[in-house]
Amino acid sequence: RNVIDEQLILFLDALQILAVCAKPLTLAVFSAQTAPPPPPPAKPPASLSRIVPLLLDLLRRQAPHDCLRNVMEQFDELLIWGHYLRRIGQPGAQFQAAEREAARQYALLCAAWREQDAAVCADAMQAVLRLAYLVAREHVCSCASAPERLPLALDEKIPG
């Protein structure tokens, strides 16, 4: 159980960093491109747990520096532990509004990416990743043996 708790804490740490840094990272991706980067798939994945790896892969592939690509790869390895959350139960109905909002933000992100609107794209990227962090943190809090060890909550609340 201790190993699982430690890995879930590292998972939340990585997701929190992504949630906080998504906007400047997305803007860096856009500013470093000489040609428009390929857009993410227009059809949103079914859940936040599927959207996050897709966005992380998109950022990793388009990262303007090798060091950022390496960091994204390390985050990807840590985010794998988010799949463990499915084994300990699905988030409750209170998270359905967050899933809907994430799908809406993902659609905004895709449209902005196609139009090369870096500012809107960065805002939507950050909104999706912040929602993912909020939902994941609440889910881990509900089953963690030591919730006081979890990374701090962001200042937002889960919609709904």
Side-chain angles (χ1 to χ4, degrees), residues 47-128:
S47 68
L48 271 169
S49 64
R50 289 196 167 83
I51 291 174
V52 171
L54 185 117
L55 294 181
L56 182 59
D57 183 59
L58 183 69
L59 290 173
R60 182 190 52 77
R61 285 186 289 114
Q62 301 301 321
H65 306 287
D66 287 341
C67 63
L68 283 176
R69 275 189 286 285
N70 290 336
V71 169
M72 296 297 112
E73 287 170 7
Q74 291 172 17
F75 282 169
D76 191 40
E77 291 172 14
L78 292 172
L79 293 179
I80 294 291
W81 279 88
H83 296 293
Y84 181 80
L85 291 175
R86 287 193 210 133
R87 301 185 88 198
I88 54 178
Q90 292 296 319
Q94 74 268 27
F95 298 117
Q96 290 175 357
E99 292 280 350
R100 285 190 302 275
E101 179 60 16
R104 188 182 78 75
Q105 290 293 332
Y106 181 84
L108 287 174
L109 183 151
C110 290
W113 198 286
R114 282 189 302 276
E115 296 168 13
Q116 294 298 289
D117 187 336
V120 172
C121 190
D123 287 342
M125 178 78 76
Q126 186 159 42
V128 170

Side-chain angles (χ1 to χ4, degrees), residues 5-23:
D5 285 349
E6 289 301 317
Q7 293 301 319
L8 288 175
I9 289 168
L10 290 172
F11 155 74
L12 286 176
D13 285 337
L15 193 52
Q16 183 186 51
I17 292 168
L18 278 172
V20 171
C21 298
K23 187 173 184 170

